[in-house]
């Protein structure tokens, strides 16, 4: 264990507690309709489909709707999960929107005890201990966070139906994290910072103190002494998450604002103080029909919410805030403009990233305060 981690961790555990979430942003109706339409067009669309599992026998070669009866659409399991989250998020914020009735019907059809039992059975199969870890698992916990926060009979009913799978997913984090010796610093599905951030939000929302403490401990162990993150090396050609910015977005969840500000100075020392936004250029997609290259539309959206969250976590007079928000605006504009139904390769998932951004979901993560 590093010296600084040993010295600082006990003090941080005493200093930091969660504050209530911020109020959600209601998106522009036209944007919300566009994003909802993308999810509605895929959450019950079985094909094309990418199944990622190890075949143990002929029995495992079955249609997606038989293997995972809830989350079988949207090309792959994790996209189906956050497609359902998108619909929950938008009808929670906009209950009278034109798409709300259709969205509710789709959710009610998929969120049944029988279908969830099929999901639990799938997770219990041989060779699936690492299935969708951590990306898809994190999105599932984000879905449950949304439902647990929403004071509505429909949300309570759906959360109750999904609860058995919620237990399985939370247990996967409990068994995985003690054995994870190093962080996973990449810009795609296996990135640990993204997985820890959304799982931490769920643990705090549901009051799972043991998992919260495990995640906080691992986060500090992995990242407290990180310095000089090579942001200029990003993005890689298939990134949809920023390794540097998502680590900072995770750390702002576990450090009080003044401590986070000091940590950020060492971690990303190149953030300007002149209010400029061009210090971080958006990723460029040259072929939006390529399922891997289109990831860079996602990196622009996730960077935007990272930058906004980092700025919000700094002391209010921090000179870096204006440049962080200026870069966020550039990435937001570029990212949102890329979300369309022209190519299913991006259309089946980018709406969720855009919804997370434009509704301020990341800013609702439990904030830190000093006792």
């Amino acid at each position: 264990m590093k010296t600084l981690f040993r010295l600082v961790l006990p003090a941080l555990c005493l200093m930091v507690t969660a504050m209530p979430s911020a109020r959600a942003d209601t998106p522009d109706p036209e944007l919300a309709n566009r994003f909802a339409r993308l999810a509605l067009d895929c959450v019950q669309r079985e094909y094309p489909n990418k199944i990622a599992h190890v075949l143990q026998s002929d029995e495992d070669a079955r249609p997606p709707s038989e293997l995972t009866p809830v989350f079988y659409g949207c090309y792959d399991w994790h996209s189906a999960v956050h497609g359902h989250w998108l619909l929950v998020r938008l009808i929670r914020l906009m209950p009278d929107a034109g798409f709300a009735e259709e969205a509710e019907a789709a959710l009610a059809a998929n969120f049944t005890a029988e279908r969830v039992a099929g999901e639990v059975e799938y997770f219990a199969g041989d060779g699936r201990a690492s299935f969708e870890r951590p990306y898809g698992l994190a999105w599932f916990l984000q879905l449950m966070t949304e439902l647990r926060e929403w004071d509505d009979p429909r949300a309570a009913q759906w959360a109750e139906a999904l609860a058995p799978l919620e237990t399985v997913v939370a247990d996967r984090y409990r068994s995985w994290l003690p054995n994870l010796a190093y962080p996973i610093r990449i810009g795609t599905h296996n990135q640990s910072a993204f997985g820890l951030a959304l799982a931490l939000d769920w643990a705090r929302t549901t009051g799972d103190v043991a998992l919260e403490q495990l995640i906080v401990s691992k986060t500090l162990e992995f990242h407290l002494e990180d310095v000089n993150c090579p942001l200029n090396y990003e993005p890689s050609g298939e990134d949809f998450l920023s390794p540097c910015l998502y680590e900072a977005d995770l750390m702002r969840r576990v450090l009080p604002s003044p401590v986070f500000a000091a940590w950020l100075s060492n971690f990303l020392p190149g953030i300007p103080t002149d209010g400029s936004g061009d210090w971080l250029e958006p990723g460029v997609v040259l072929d939006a029909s390529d399922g891997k290259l289109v990831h860079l539309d996602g990196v622009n959206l996730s960077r935007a919410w990272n930058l906004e969250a980092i700025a919000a976590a700094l002391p209010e007079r921090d000179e870096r805030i204006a440049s962080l928000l200026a870069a966020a605006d550039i990435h937001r504009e570029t990212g949102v403009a890329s979300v369309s139904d022209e190519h299913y390769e991006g259309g089946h998932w980018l709406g969720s990233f855009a919804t997370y951004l434009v509704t301020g979901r990341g800013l609702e993560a439990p904030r830190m305060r000093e006792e």
Side-chain angles (χ1 to χ4, degrees):
M1 195 74 67
K2 295 179 179 179
T3 301
L4 183 56
F5 173 67
R6 289 201 308 267
L7 293 173
V8 173
L9 178 57
L12 289 174
C13 290
L14 293 174
M15 291 170 62
V16 179
T17 57
M19 290 181 68
S21 299
R23 184 177 63 83
D25 294 331
T26 301
D28 173 84
E30 183 177 345
L31 283 181
N33 184 69
R34 187 192 344 158
F35 302 155
R37 190 73 261 158
L38 290 171
L40 286 168
D41 286 346
C42 80
V43 292
Q44 294 174 323
R45 174 177 173 176
E46 192 163 8
Y47 298 105
N49 201 297
K50 180 181 179 181
I51 298 175
H53 71 183
V54 176
L55 295 172
Q56 302 290 345
S57 69
D58 290 352
E59 177 64 16
D60 288 336
R62 288 187 286 156
S65 59
E66 294 184 14
L67 292 168
T68 55
V70 179
F71 304 115
Y72 62 85
C74 296
Y75 188 73
D76 49 37
W77 193 87
H78 53 259
S79 298
V81 170
H82 59 64
H84 286 78
W85 167 81
L86 182 161
L87 296 176
V88 171
R89 177 71 171 169
L90 289 182
I91 63 174
R92 177 187 175 190
L93 296 179
M94 307 175 70
D96 298 322
F99 56 78
E101 184 175 349
E102 186 178 357
E104 180 181 350
L107 294 168
N110 287 1
F111 292 165
T112 68
E114 181 180 5
R115 287 178 181 249
V116 173
E119 293 276 346
V120 172
E121 180 181 0
Y122 179 82
F123 268 74
D126 291 341
R128 295 175 189 153
S130 62
F131 176 70
E132 289 287 352
R133 188 186 73 197
Y135 183 75
L137 303 186
W139 271 115
F140 179 79
L141 293 181
Q142 178 63 72
L143 168 62
M144 296 307 299
T145 298
E146 201 74 48
L147 291 172
R148 298 290 184 194
E149 290 177 348
W150 186 13
D151 184 15
D152 184 277
R154 294 165 297 177
Q157 179 180 355
W158 296 334
E160 181 179 0
L162 290 164
L165 184 56
E166 182 181 32
T167 298
V168 171
V169 170
D171 284 344
R172 292 287 166 97
Y173 271 88
R174 294 186 185 96
S175 61
W176 172 55
L177 284 179
N179 297 319
L180 185 65
Y182 311 99
I184 305 168
R185 304 177 188 272
I186 61 175
T188 52
H189 305 86
N190 288 340
Q191 185 193 104
S192 54
F194 175 88
L196 293 178
L198 268 61
L200 180 59
D201 293 350
W202 173 86
R204 286 174 171 158
T205 297
T206 59
D208 190 326
V209 176
L211 184 56
E212 176 188 2
Q213 291 176 344
L214 176 59
I215 294 171
V216 170
S217 178
K218 272 295 180 182
T219 297
L220 294 171
E221 176 188 340
F222 287 158
H223 300 306
L224 189 60
E225 289 195 346
D226 284 353
V227 297
N228 298 319
C229 195
L231 188 59
N232 59 311
Y233 286 6
E234 298 183 20
S236 295
E238 298 179 356
D239 281 358
F240 57 86
L241 301 169
S242 164
C244 289
L245 293 181
Y246 231 110
E247 180 177 330
D249 198 341
L250 172 62
M251 288 295 283
R252 59 101 183 178
R253 287 169 160 86
V254 302
L255 297 176
S257 182
V259 180
F260 173 69
W263 176 88
L264 187 67
S265 295
N266 292 321
F267 182 66
L268 291 174
I271 299 174
T273 58
D274 60 1
S276 61
D278 58 0
W279 57 278
L280 186 64
E281 296 184 0
V284 176
V285 175
L286 299 180
D287 181 2
S289 69
D290 186 302
K292 295 291 189 178
L293 298 180
V294 78
H295 279 181
L296 290 160
D297 284 330
V299 86
N300 293 330
L301 294 163
S302 63
R303 274 182 171 183
W305 81 58
N306 293 152
L307 291 161
E308 290 180 354
I310 293 166
L314 292 171
E316 63 180 25
R317 294 186 179 180
D318 193 294
E319 295 181 346
R320 293 167 290 187
I321 291 175
S323 287
L324 288 164
L325 293 179
D329 287 343
I330 293 170
H331 281 74
R332 173 189 286 256
E333 182 178 358
T334 303
V336 170
S338 72
V339 182
S340 76
D341 61 0
E342 182 177 3
H343 301 291
Y344 193 61
E345 289 80 2
H348 76 273
W349 65 278
L350 284 171
S352 299
F353 272 49
T355 299
Y356 191 93
L357 170 63
V358 303
T359 64
R361 177 68 249 197
L363 297 176
E364 294 179 46
R367 302 288 299 279
M368 297 294 99
R369 64 178 170 86
E370 295 182 43
E371 291 286 62

